[in-house]
Amino acid sequence: MADAASTPGASGSGTRSGSKQSTNPADNYYLARRRTLQVVVSSLLTEAGFESAEKASVETLTEMLQSYISEIGRSAKSYCEHTARTQPTLSDIVVTLVEMGFNVDTLPAYAKRSQRMVITAPPVTNQPVTPKALTAGQNRPHPPHIPSHFPEFPDPHTYIKTPTYREPVSDYQVLREKAASQRRDVERALTRFMAKTGETQSLFKDDVSTFPLIAARPFTIPYLTALLPSELEMQQMEETDSSEQDEQPDTENLALHMSTDESGAEKENTSVLQQNPSLAGTRNGEDTIIDNPYLRPVKKPKIRRKKSLS
Amino acid sequence: MNKKKGDKGFESPRKSVVVSLYSRIGFVELTIFPTVTNLNRIKLNSKQCRIYRVRINDLEAAFIYNDPTLEVCHSESKQRNLNYFSNAYAAAVSAVDPDAGNGELCIKVPSELWKHVDELKVLKIHINFSLDQPKGGLHFVVPSVEGSMAERGAHVFSCGYQNSTRFWFPCVDSYSELCTWKLEFTVDAAMVAVSNGDLVETVYTHDMRKKTFHYMLTIPTAASNISLAIGPFEILVDPYMHEVTHFCLPQLLPLLKHTTSYLHEVFEFYEEILTCRYPYSCFKTVFIDEAYVEVAAYASMSIFSTNLLHSAMIIDETPLTRRCLAQSLAQQFFGCFISRMSWSDEWVLKGISGYIYGLWMKKTFGVNEYRHWIKEELDKIVAYELKTGGVLLHPIFGGGKEKDNPASHLHFSIKHPHTLSWEYYTMFQCKAHLVMRLIENRISMEFMLQVFNKLLSLASTASSQKFQSHMWSQMLVSTSGFLKSISNVSGKDIQPLIKQWVDQSGVVKFYGSFAFNRKRNVLELEIKQDYTSPGTQKYVGPLKVTVQELDGSFNHTLQIEENSLKHDIPCHSKSRRNKKKKIPLMNGEEVDMDLSAMDADSPLLWIRIDPDMSVLRKVEFEQADFMWQYQLRYERDVVAQQESILALEKFPTPASRLALTDILEQEQCFYRVRMAACFCLAKIANSMVSTWTGPPAMKSLFTRMFCCKTCPNIVKTNNFMSFQSYFLQKTMPVAMALLRDVHNLCPKEVLTFILDLIKYNDNRKNKFSDNYYRAEMIDALANSVTPAVSVNNEVRTLDNLNPDVRLILEEITRFLNMEKLLPSYRHTITVSCLRAIRVLQKNGHVPSDPTLFKSYAEYGHFVDIRVAALEAVVDYTKVDRSYEELQWLLNMIQTDPVPYVRHKILSMLTKNPPFTKSTESPLCNEALVDQLWKLMNSGTSHDWRLRCGAVDLYFTLFGLSRPSCLPLPELGLVLNLKEKKAVLNPTIIPEVVAGSQEFPGSQDEEEVDMDTVHDSQAFISHHLSMLERPSTPGRRAREHHHHHHHEHKKKKKKHKHKHKHKHKHDSRDKDKEPFAFSSPASGRSVRSPSLSD
């Protein structure tokens, strides 16, 4: 279809030929502009005496024209922003053109040349509308020290805060009631969630959702979960115990734990293990050194080995 | 039987065992001294071990291995009666009993050494063996996770019921055969091997990947007290006693530290009362998973279940665990250090260890707890003996006549520990310590402790001696030796007491009533005895009676004689005379009483029979309700209070209610009494439902004690600092939930109350965990459930769910789900939830379905959960008569990895059987009989306890004789080959008539029997030969015959060089004789069922 674009007569059919429209408004807009540029190039070519042109060359010229115009726009915008404005003025364009090496004086004569072709205005296509932000409340006007051309303040909801104060509930009954129902709600929600996301068992054949039981899953080491206090309980224990427990046994506990951890880990090299007894000794007071056979280092095998294993 | 030393012909002073757990290869070296000149065969015990090679003094020795307990009755036998089995089993166990000089392994002394033996010179026996996949004796726990064995927490330990060491190495597996030990174990370098005696050294192997632990036990010890535990244990040296070391599985160290922090006090206590140091130079406690029993004591080490470990936040488990520790330590002195001469002396050891453990209880938990415990134990043993017909502590087997069996009322032989039902054995231990207490009552505690001290000091002197058999025998206790030292120390004759309680089974049953004779001012007391029902015996001797009168409490000792039932007791006070005075109590206290309830004519407040529990008895005493009420309020003995609470159940009156409520409120009162009062109050309230006024029983009391002052419907935030009120707080709602209104429903008010307790439960500020409390709240919910009103078996669906049940179910669902996210200690809440769900199912609110329970019963759940779930499945099996579930359970008994669970299923099935011998059930069929028979006959040969459990179940289901569901015994069908037809043997018909049970229709029976009589020619000829017997042989004749054979057999044994195989062969030959029932294993004749009924 586009191969006929070189003929000036095709100019009118520009919008119709874009059969690939109907995508989205932004694309449509873009295509329409491009098509107008193509018409312009074609008419300029006709003006220059060409009867036909290859599609590729028309495309190239269109591309060049587009780049040129874009550059003018970009440059003009820079100039205008350079002077702290948001809208470009004529002088910005002029400076731009001068900058780009264009003789501005020739422009009026060229515009008034006799053989110029008049192209119809491009069809009106809907500019894509950016959805308007919901305005909430009145935007605050600029305070006097801010120039009026500066952007407006954002909507008030983005920065305004309304502090609220309520009487703290002190009624014991209400508090307990609240704590209980909150905990219950959390627990129920949590268990329901777990039940929904995992396997469940049910007490009723016809209904699996009213009383969903999280399916029983065997543990590889069941005694650990059964015996060790949960983290929550540990935390609680620390909270409640901190006042009563003196430091002495705690540190002892820690030291003992460390030493046995080492022996439990059973490092291959004996040097680590040899530290153990000494560690134990320092810990339990200088006067008594624990001599327990299980804390002694493991001996290296003797050269002459007993005939132990058959 | 007798002279076991002579029988065995040797003594072994030294033994060393070397086991490499890596390859599970080991060797044992025994040093023995022959005691007879012509010793040419040595019998040892060994099970499961594959023996490669035996050398004696470096000479190869031939050996024979034969274990008759592997298969008790031969598989081709179609015998299915339990009498037959029990006799055969007892015979099989005897045949390998080390105390009788027998064993599974028979080693022939090479002829080159005979001269050596005749000079009674030392022999060194060297046995190489391997242990492949042992099914019993050693238990392996290997969690299936990633990582090395040590990272996975894999461990192994020895376990078993009584002498079970033969399961893991060849030895003389007897408690009376002492020797010193040298033990070596080679294990992975990351593992620790804990065994008996002192750890001498630990040495790496050459590749540094393994370690060898060398242990030396210089104190002579029986093989049965040898044990082993290997695992990646965390090691904790006791901070108070450095020679004591504790071991636990990885990650549990903080719990171990807390749990064992108490142990040194137990040590101190025992050492002080026994005035004797702990006999071993070191002590080790090992906490392992999948324990066989909670506590197992071995020489210088004890193996505990890891589930006994707990943190400081746990209240309920703490006393239980401490009791376990104390129990094991008591057994270190009596049981491990001092061993027993023979099985019939077991009661002395169990008695002493139980008794000193009781003393520890008294000191630790107080006199109230102690007396409560004694009462509890007494009630247990009384109930058991009355149910089963008696527990005999010191069985004497005179003359070897099996028909003199002292325990003929039982379905098992009590001649060996390994044939004993587990329940019987626990009751045996219970009775033993109660009898020790009776002896103490007789000779005083001081003398008692002197006797123990004497036994211990003799033993420790002996233990330090070099091998001398007569010296070492001081370390073995026998009944006669024990009694002798009692009479030496105390100078008292306790023979009547021993005769009554030790040499004889049964308890005493008293019925008492009284009348007051106002004219003579005499109390006429009548005490009757029931000594004819099973499990009872006649008591003759002194009996203490305490009478509380207005003027005080008076003790009277009555002499119970043959024919005197009535006893006149003069009263000290006149009725009503001193109305205003305070009344003196037994303990010297003087109290004001409101005497308006009393009988105006009588000065008697209450009467107690045998208040000190110095007879093993059950007392049913009749006195008026007000007397029980006075007893409850003013008697200071907790046992008396409990007795009165029990009695008051029969008197639902406002006065009883008031007495119970007062006790409940009294904070000085023992908490267990108050807990008992809760349940009694619930029962009384239910009986008085039509006249009950005010809020439901206990509600206002609970509100006053545990709820907020300002808002009485909200419970205070938990604070369990006071344990007494904690226990009461736990118990009251459980008891309240048992209340019923006139429609026999739980009052709505009570249910709301319990739901509110759950709702407002707040443990954030509490120092202790509330998991037991919450679990009991669920129990309370379950207690409130009443049977659903069902309309013609409609299917239970959600739509017709009772709204109250819906609320309960919601709580259970939430609790059970929360357990998955925040598990509670020992999963107490899951356990309670599972039980509650079963209650809902049973009451028809929720469809009865075992699927949920089956999933919780799987291996991999915590053992308490599994047991609770299995209990529900067992119950389902019974209620729904489900064959499928029964099969599932039986399959689990055979395949489950945890021995305890297998044992537990059997005992639960026995306690709650799907059917019994006296009821009919579609479940009872031939396949089941065969299955169970196989289970006890050969399927459980690796675990004595399990086998005895299977025997118990078989007994419960089918009784002693041939199960009624079986087709008539094979003898019932006589094949007449000539006429080619089958006729019923006329001799068995009487049995069928005598037994009230239905017998199968004759049509299929013929078919089935044709199947069983498979075409083996030999079998038929065997049957034909049976025909030749007199058709109705008298019992006497047969018995005689039996004895004859038995003695015959014995004679052969005396020859003792009789080849085992030959012996067996011999018996086969016998089978072909016309009188066929005399294989060594059989005790009874084929047709004995007709007689045993």
Side-chain angles (χ1 to χ4, degrees):
Chain A
M1 210 170 278
D3 48 333
S6 52
T7 51
S11 60
S13 66
T15 46
R16 252 191 296 128
S17 64
S19 71
K20 273 181 196 158
Q21 61 209 70
S22 79
T23 42
N24 68 51
D27 281 355
N28 275 349
Y29 182 71
Y30 172 77
L31 283 172
R33 253 184 356 192
R34 178 99 182 165
R35 219 162 283 122
T36 314
L37 278 180
Q38 251 174 9
V39 173
V40 169
V41 167
S42 305
S43 65
L44 283 175
L45 285 176
T46 318
E47 215 181 288
F50 289 98
E51 287 195 345
S52 70
E54 275 180 32
K55 190 194 167 201
S57 47
V58 174
E59 283 291 319
T60 311
L61 287 167
T62 311
E63 199 66 34
M64 286 168 69
L65 185 62
Q66 191 174 355
S67 305
Y68 193 81
I69 292 171
S70 299
E71 179 55 25
I72 292 170
R74 194 196 60 76
S75 204
K77 183 166 177 276
S78 301
Y79 279 112
C80 106
E81 283 173 358
H82 183 64
T83 49
R85 280 176 284 108
T86 54
Q87 296 280 325
T89 56
L90 180 65
S91 53
D92 291 330
I93 306 293
V94 173
V95 175
T96 303
L97 290 175
V98 172
E99 172 71 9
M100 287 170 75
F102 183 80
N103 190 351
V104 186
D105 297 338
T106 60
L107 198 58
Y110 179 75
K112 288 174 186 158
R113 67 192 189 278
S114 57
Q115 73 276 43
R116 73 172 198 274
M117 291 178 70
V118 177
I119 31 172
T120 50
V124 181
T125 51
N126 298 345
Q127 194 144 357
V129 267
T130 45
K132 219 171 153 192
L134 183 74
T135 53
Q138 208 71 39
N139 279 10
R140 242 167 85 185
H142 281 163
H145 61 273
I146 295 178
S148 57
H149 59 266
F150 271 42
E152 285 182 346
F153 277 112
D155 289 346
H157 73 269
T158 56
Y159 57 89
I160 280 178
K161 63 170 193 270
T162 326
T164 59
Y165 300 99
R166 266 174 66 189
E167 281 294 302
V169 188
S170 54
D171 184 16
Y172 183 77
Q173 183 170 358
V174 177
L175 269 181
R176 287 293 301 275
E177 175 84 51
K178 205 160 183 168
S181 55
Q182 256 174 16
R183 202 197 50 203
R184 170 170 300 226
D185 289 348
V186 167
E187 282 183 9
R188 186 172 300 158
L190 185 62
T191 50
R192 292 247 154 185
F193 172 74
M194 294 302 289
K196 279 238 166 67
T197 49
E199 225 178 298
T200 56
Q201 288 163 321
S202 174
L203 297 174
F204 294 90
K205 288 240 162 56
D206 56 333
D207 182 290
V208 288
S209 59
T210 319
F211 299 111
L213 299 174
I214 301 175
R217 196 170 300 123
F219 298 97
T220 44
I221 304 181
Y223 59 85
L224 284 183
T225 44
L227 300 179
L228 287 173
S230 66
E231 272 171 47
L232 187 79
E233 283 175 317
M234 291 287 257
Q235 208 179 338
Q236 239 172 290
M237 196 154 57
E238 274 161 30
E239 277 168 20
T240 47
D241 275 14
S242 53
S243 52
E244 284 137 288
Q245 236 176 16
D246 50 348
E247 295 301 302
Q248 193 69 38
D250 243 312
T251 50
E252 192 181 51
N253 184 5
L254 203 72
L256 264 173
H257 196 140
M258 273 163 52
S259 80
T260 40
D261 252 9
E262 277 166 17
S263 60
E266 214 54 77
K267 307 283 185 303
E268 274 297 296
N269 62 32
T270 39
S271 65
V272 174
L273 285 163
Q274 266 158 349
Q275 283 173 7
N276 272 335
S278 59
L279 227 163
T282 52
R283 163 178 11 106
N284 272 277
E286 288 78 335
D287 48 343
T288 52
I289 289 169
I290 295 184
D291 180 33
N292 186 293
Y294 293 94
L295 300 179
R296 281 180 212 144
V298 182
K299 289 184 186 163
K300 292 259 173 65
K302 288 166 207 151
I303 312 300
R304 193 179 55 80
R305 207 179 157 205
K306 274 191 246 162
K307 42 156 195 173
S308 58
L309 298 179
S310 52
Chain B
M1 262 128 249
N2 48 2
K3 295 186 292 167
K4 58 189 171 185
K5 284 272 156 59
D7 265 7
K8 190 166 285 149
F10 63 84
E11 289 165 337
S12 56
R14 263 198 307 282
K15 189 178 257 183
S16 67
V17 180
V18 177
V19 182
S20 160
L21 253 283
Y22 226 66
S23 44
R24 291 186 197 136
I25 292 175
F27 77 79
V28 177
E29 193 176 282
L30 293 97
T31 311
I32 65 165
F33 283 113
T35 51
V36 290
T37 49
N38 56 349
L39 176 80
N40 56 5
R41 269 187 179 68
I42 297 164
K43 287 186 178 171
L44 296 178
N45 295 108
S46 170
K47 265 171 161 295
Q48 295 183 128
C49 308
R50 180 172 299 157
I51 291 159
Y52 290 121
R53 192 176 174 200
V54 178
R55 279 171 296 163
I56 302 181
N57 285 6
D58 291 331
L59 288 169
E60 294 289 335
F63 61 93
I64 296 152
Y65 184 84
N66 174 38
D67 183 1
T69 62
L70 280 181
E71 191 180 18
V72 175
C73 303
H74 299 297
S75 54
E76 66 268 23
S77 165
K78 286 285 156 191
Q79 275 287 4
R80 288 295 179 262
N81 87 61
L82 195 58
N83 261 331
Y84 174 76
F85 177 86
S86 284
N87 287 322
Y89 181 39
V93 172
S94 289
V96 293
D97 183 10
D99 282 343
N102 294 326
E104 293 91 348
L105 181 68
C106 178
I107 301 167
K108 201 176 156 195
V109 178
S111 52
E112 296 92 318
L113 288 171
W114 286 2
K115 201 161 160 269
H116 190 86
V117 170
D118 288 346
E119 290 160 15
L120 302 182
K121 277 190 190 156
V122 69
L123 291 180
K124 269 196 188 338
I125 306 172
H126 192 102
I127 302 170
N128 291 32
F129 67 95
S130 80
L131 204 55
D132 262 342
Q133 312 249 311
K135 284 159 92 187
L138 277 186
H139 184 64
F140 289 82
V141 182
V142 186
S144 53
V145 267
E146 296 282 300
S148 72
M149 280 297 180
E151 285 157 7
R152 289 151 71 176
H155 56 283
V156 60
F157 57 93
S158 62
C159 58
Y161 168 31
Q162 286 279 331
N163 39 342
S164 298
T165 309
R166 64 184 87 170
F167 282 96
W168 52 291
F169 66 84
C171 58
V172 183
D173 193 6
S174 157
Y175 282 101
S176 60
E177 205 56 47
L178 305 180
C179 55
T180 58
W181 295 81
K182 192 167 170 296
L183 302 143
E184 289 177 22
F185 303 98
T186 303
V187 299
D188 193 283
M191 298 280 184
V192 182
V194 187
S195 187
N196 315 86
D198 292 309
L199 176 64
V200 181
E201 56 179 4
T202 319
V203 185
Y204 278 114
T205 54
H206 282 283
D207 58 4
M208 300 293 277
R209 288 218 198 111
K210 293 174 222 159
K211 292 191 291 197
T212 306
F213 286 79
H214 296 263
Y215 282 91
M216 185 83 104
L217 184 56
T218 49
I219 290 176
T221 301
S224 315
N225 276 326
I226 294 299
S227 64
L228 169 69
I230 299 171
F233 297 123
E234 305 215 30
I235 301 167
L236 173 70
V237 177
D238 196 290
Y240 302 94
M241 307 170 288
H242 294 171
E243 55 282 84
V244 176
T245 321
H246 311 292
F247 300 87
C248 69
L249 294 166
Q251 299 183 50
L252 299 177
L253 193 73
L255 302 184
L256 181 72
K257 183 157 173 26
H258 177 76
T259 308
T260 57
S261 62
Y262 174 73
L263 190 69
H264 65 281
E265 289 185 37
V266 191
F267 261 101
E268 279 161 24
F269 176 79
Y270 286 143
E271 291 188 351
E272 201 181 309
I273 61 156
L274 299 171
T275 48
C276 170
R277 281 199 66 80
Y278 175 69
Y280 299 97
S281 54
C282 63
F283 180 60
K284 287 141 284 183
T285 65
V286 190
F287 290 83
I288 43 80
D289 189 26
E290 299 185 8
Y292 187 83
V293 281
E294 277 197 321
V295 186
Y298 301 97
S300 85
M301 77 182 271
S302 291
I303 298 181
F304 298 97
S305 161
T306 194
N307 303 335
L308 292 176
L309 294 174
H310 59 87
S311 70
M313 298 168 65
I314 307 300
I315 297 174
D316 300 50
E317 182 63 39
T318 310
L320 301 178
T321 299
R322 289 188 178 179
R323 284 167 76 160
C324 286
L325 290 174
Q327 224 172 353
S328 89
L329 210 53
Q331 287 171 11
Q332 287 290 320
F333 290 92
F334 294 95
C336 298
F337 180 60
I338 293 190
S339 190
R340 66 177 191 228
M341 199 76 92
S342 71
W343 162 238
S344 58
D345 306 316
E346 168 81 349
W347 76 274
V348 179
L349 289 177
K350 288 294 172 209
I352 299 178
S353 61
Y355 170 76
I356 58 173
Y357 160 68
L359 294 183
W360 170 84
M361 287 252 294
K362 199 195 290 187
K363 190 226 163 203
T364 312
F365 299 117
V367 176
N368 282 351
E369 180 77 31
Y370 173 73
R371 286 187 66 87
H372 171 83
W373 176 67
I374 292 290
K375 166 84 170 125
E376 213 175 47
E377 297 275 287
L378 182 62
D379 286 349
K380 258 196 250 171
I381 185 73
V382 166
Y384 182 78
E385 293 210 38
L386 293 180
K387 187 184 87 186
T388 59
V391 171
L392 184 58
L393 288 183
H394 183 50
I396 304 161
F397 307 98
K401 284 185 187 172
E402 279 189 38
K403 283 293 182 283
D404 287 345
N405 188 353
S408 51
H409 53 279
L410 296 167
H411 59 275
F412 47 85
S413 158
I414 58 165
K415 221 165 131 185
H416 303 282
H418 295 153
T419 54
L420 228 53
S421 155
W422 182 255
E423 197 188 2
Y424 181 90
Y425 184 60
T426 33
M427 285 303 138
F428 173 92
Q429 298 177 44
C430 168
K431 187 168 185 177
H433 82 76
L434 287 173
V435 169
M436 277 301 158
R437 190 177 155 272
L438 298 189
I439 297 176
E440 180 225 77
N441 283 351
R442 184 84 179 70
I443 69 167
S444 88
M445 182 155 106
E446 199 191 336
F447 282 140
M448 200 73 175
L449 294 176
Q450 274 180 33
V451 171
F452 300 159
N453 177 263
K454 195 176 161 193
L455 292 176
L456 283 170
S457 37
L458 280 176
S460 56
T461 321
S463 72
S464 53
Q465 304 275 322
K466 278 251 165 6
F467 171 64
Q468 270 174 305
S469 71
H470 63 281
M471 266 314 275
W472 280 7
S473 68
Q474 297 282 2
M475 299 180 71
L476 302 176
V477 78
S478 69
T479 307
S480 58
F482 173 66
L483 296 181
K484 214 166 128 196
S485 63
I486 284 189
S487 76
N488 284 347
V489 167
S490 71
K492 283 185 180 152
D493 177 26
I494 58 161
Q495 206 50 47
L497 191 151
I498 297 297
K499 194 162 169 272
Q500 179 121 41
W501 305 118
V502 179
D503 295 339
Q504 197 176 323
S505 72
V507 292
V508 182
K509 226 170 146 181
F510 289 123
Y511 297 97
S513 60
F514 76 98
F516 177 67
N517 188 325
R518 192 151 61 107
K519 273 188 198 147
R520 294 165 56 211
N521 199 24
V522 154
L523 163 68
E524 294 168 357
L525 192 66
E526 189 185 38
I527 294 177
K528 280 190 250 172
Q529 281 188 58
D530 169 10
Y531 43 83
T532 47
S533 8
T536 56
Q537 55 166 301
K538 190 191 280 180
Y539 178 76
V540 174
L543 185 72
K544 194 166 140 189
V545 173
T546 305
V547 183
Q548 174 73 46
E549 297 176 38
L550 290 171
D551 281 358
S553 188
F554 303 97
N555 287 331
H556 305 272
T557 307
L558 307 181
Q559 207 59 38
I560 302 289
E561 281 155 25
E562 289 286 323
N563 300 317
S564 75
L565 299 171
K566 303 234 180 202
H567 304 268
D568 284 355
I569 300 174
C571 287
H572 294 74
S573 30
K574 286 270 187 273
S575 63
R576 283 287 173 181
R577 215 176 42 193
N578 27 24
K579 210 171 176 180
K580 290 278 179 285
K581 259 170 80 182
K582 286 192 172 186
I583 291 166
L585 298 179
M586 194 51 151
N587 59 356
E589 211 180 321
E590 295 203 340
V591 291
D592 283 314
M593 288 187 203
D594 172 17
L595 298 175
S596 56
M598 266 183 90
D599 181 354
D601 294 335
S602 139
L604 301 171
L605 283 162
W606 66 82
I607 300 162
R608 296 186 63 205
I609 294 177
D610 186 27
D612 297 331
M613 299 178 281
S614 43
V615 178
L616 301 186
R617 83 307 191 253
K618 178 187 176 121
V619 180
E620 284 175 26
F621 187 66
E622 285 173 31
Q623 59 181 358
D625 58 344
F626 67 85
M627 297 176 86
W628 289 118
Q629 286 151 13
Y630 281 127
Q631 182 172 334
L632 174 60
R633 282 172 194 264
Y634 302 110
E635 170 63 64
R636 296 298 183 232
D637 178 16
V638 292
V639 175
Q641 292 172 352
Q642 271 169 319
E643 280 166 356
S644 55
I645 287 177
L646 203 66
L648 282 178
E649 278 178 19
K650 291 185 215 92
F651 301 101
T653 57
S656 299
R657 176 184 172 183
L658 197 64
L660 287 165
T661 325
D662 286 350
I663 277 293
L664 255 180
E665 276 183 291
Q666 224 173 68
E667 271 173 35
Q668 302 97 308
C669 184
F670 185 48
Y671 75 101
R672 287 188 192 271
V673 171
R674 295 166 81 191
M675 283 158 75
C678 292
F679 289 99
C680 181
L681 198 53
K683 278 185 193 148
I684 286 187
N686 288 345
S687 313
M688 297 169 64
V689 65
S690 49
T691 55
W692 189 268
T693 50
M698 289 173 274
K699 179 150 187 268
S700 47
L701 215 59
F702 189 95
T703 311
R704 207 174 326 137
M705 287 198 240
F706 303 111
C707 291
C708 304
K709 297 276 176 296
T710 49
C711 30
N713 64 325
I714 295 180
V715 65
K716 283 185 201 155
T717 58
N718 295 342
N719 179 5
F720 298 156
M721 289 301 278
S722 155
F723 294 160
Q724 281 105 323
S725 54
Y726 162 69
F727 281 107
L728 205 60
Q729 189 180 358
K730 274 197 328 178
T731 309
M732 261 157 93
V734 179
M736 281 175 73
L738 292 169
L739 293 173
R740 298 290 179 262
D741 61 12
V742 277
H743 309 291
N744 208 20
L745 297 173
C746 183
K748 181 80 188 163
E749 198 181 346
V750 171
L751 182 64
T752 328
F753 167 73
I754 297 168
L755 288 171
D756 272 351
L757 286 184
I758 295 173
K759 183 176 166 192
Y760 293 117
N761 177 43
D762 187 343
N763 206 47
R764 283 175 298 182
K765 297 266 156 52
N766 200 355
K767 198 178 163 211
F768 299 101
S769 165
D770 66 342
N771 63 309
Y772 285 94
Y773 174 70
R774 281 188 289 156
E776 299 231 7
M777 290 304 119
I778 300 163
D779 293 344
L781 287 180
N783 274 354
S784 75
V785 173
T786 45
V789 189
S790 92
V791 187
N792 299 335
N793 293 333
E794 62 179 334
V795 187
R796 282 291 146 198
T797 59
L798 208 54
D799 306 325
N800 55 21
L801 195 63
N802 178 319
D804 285 349
V805 174
R806 186 177 278 269
L807 291 174
I808 294 175
L809 211 48
E810 220 150 86
E811 293 300 331
I812 292 173
T813 311
R814 197 168 50 82
F815 271 123
L816 196 54
N817 285 342
M818 276 310 284
E819 273 278 282
K820 303 286 188 306
L821 309 170
L822 282 176
S824 59
Y825 177 72
R826 289 190 79 155
H827 295 292
T828 44
I829 293 171
T830 306
V831 169
S832 286
C833 286
L834 291 177
R835 288 209 195 106
I837 290 174
R838 180 62 200 148
V839 169
L840 287 174
Q841 289 191 353
K842 238 178 141 174
N843 282 290
H845 294 288
V846 169
S848 205
D849 181 10
T851 334
L852 179 79
F853 303 120
K854 277 158 93 175
S855 72
Y856 278 99
E858 290 298 335
Y859 179 68
H861 286 284
F862 187 65
V863 63
D864 292 1
I865 300 182
R866 297 191 68 195
V867 171
L870 284 166
E871 200 176 4
V873 179
V874 167
D875 191 51
Y876 177 85
T877 310
K878 180 189 180 177
V879 175
D880 282 48
R881 298 185 163 192
S882 160
Y883 192 69
E884 189 192 326
E885 263 59 51
L886 186 59
Q887 283 302 320
W888 184 82
L889 287 169
L890 288 175
N891 183 42
M892 204 169 224
I893 291 170
Q894 287 165 69
T895 56
D896 198 82
V898 187
Y900 173 75
V901 169
R902 305 164 71 174
H903 157 72
K904 198 73 194 160
I905 300 174
L906 272 174
S907 71
M908 286 190 294
L909 274 174
T910 310
K911 274 214 187 77
N912 192 10
F915 59 91
T916 62
K917 47 193 177 279
S918 51
T919 55
E920 266 178 58
S921 168
L923 297 180
C924 176
N925 62 28
E926 196 182 351
L928 183 70
V929 175
D930 282 344
Q931 206 174 357
L932 269 177
W933 182 268
K934 215 177 129 203
L935 187 69
M936 61 183 192
N937 192 29
S938 56
T940 45
S941 62
H942 52 275
D943 187 345
W944 309 115
R945 181 174 70 173
L946 203 61
R947 174 171 265 167
C948 297
V951 172
D952 284 351
L953 179 61
Y954 195 91
F955 174 70
T956 314
L957 297 184
F958 308 117
L960 276 178
S961 49
R962 193 177 165 82
S964 59
C965 58
L966 285 194
L968 293 170
E970 53 263 45
L971 293 181
L973 201 67
V974 177
L975 294 180
N976 191 327
L977 289 180
K978 272 181 197 160
E979 293 175 30
K980 290 206 162 85
K981 70 178 185 189
V983 288
L984 278 177
N985 185 338
T987 54
I988 49 90
I989 289 176
E991 185 220 345
V992 176
V993 176
S996 61
Q997 290 130 12
E998 193 188 336
F999 57 96
S1002 54
Q1003 288 175 346
D1004 19 9
E1005 153 212 325
E1006 200 168 281
E1007 269 177 38
V1008 174
D1009 229 12
M1010 288 306 281
D1011 281 347
T1012 56
V1013 184
H1014 41 71
D1015 47 6
S1016 147
Q1017 191 63 39
F1019 200 77
I1020 292 170
S1021 72
H1022 171 83
H1023 275 237
L1024 285 175
S1025 72
M1026 291 290 191
L1027 264 183
E1028 289 164 24
R1029 285 186 307 186
S1031 56
T1032 48
R1035 181 182 190 154
R1036 214 151 269 288
R1038 224 176 313 159
E1039 269 179 18
H1040 172 78
H1041 203 87
H1042 178 84
H1043 284 172
H1044 174 76
H1045 274 292
H1046 193 81
E1047 274 156 24
H1048 188 49
K1049 175 182 133 202
K1050 201 156 259 142
K1051 247 180 245 157
K1052 270 183 204 140
K1053 254 195 201 142
K1054 280 240 169 89
H1055 278 288
K1056 94 178 166 212
H1057 308 318
K1058 189 96 204 134
H1059 209 285
K1060 273 244 170 84
H1061 269 296
K1062 204 169 167 198
H1063 193 157
K1064 206 168 159 192
H1065 188 65
D1066 207 53
S1067 65
R1068 282 273 163 71
D1069 286 347
K1070 286 261 161 55
D1071 271 348
K1072 281 180 192 142
E1073 285 174 24
F1075 301 97
F1077 29 78
S1078 58
S1079 83
S1082 84
R1084 286 272 190 123
S1085 86
V1086 177
R1087 279 177 295 162
S1088 62
S1090 56
L1091 300 165
S1092 66
D1093 279 354

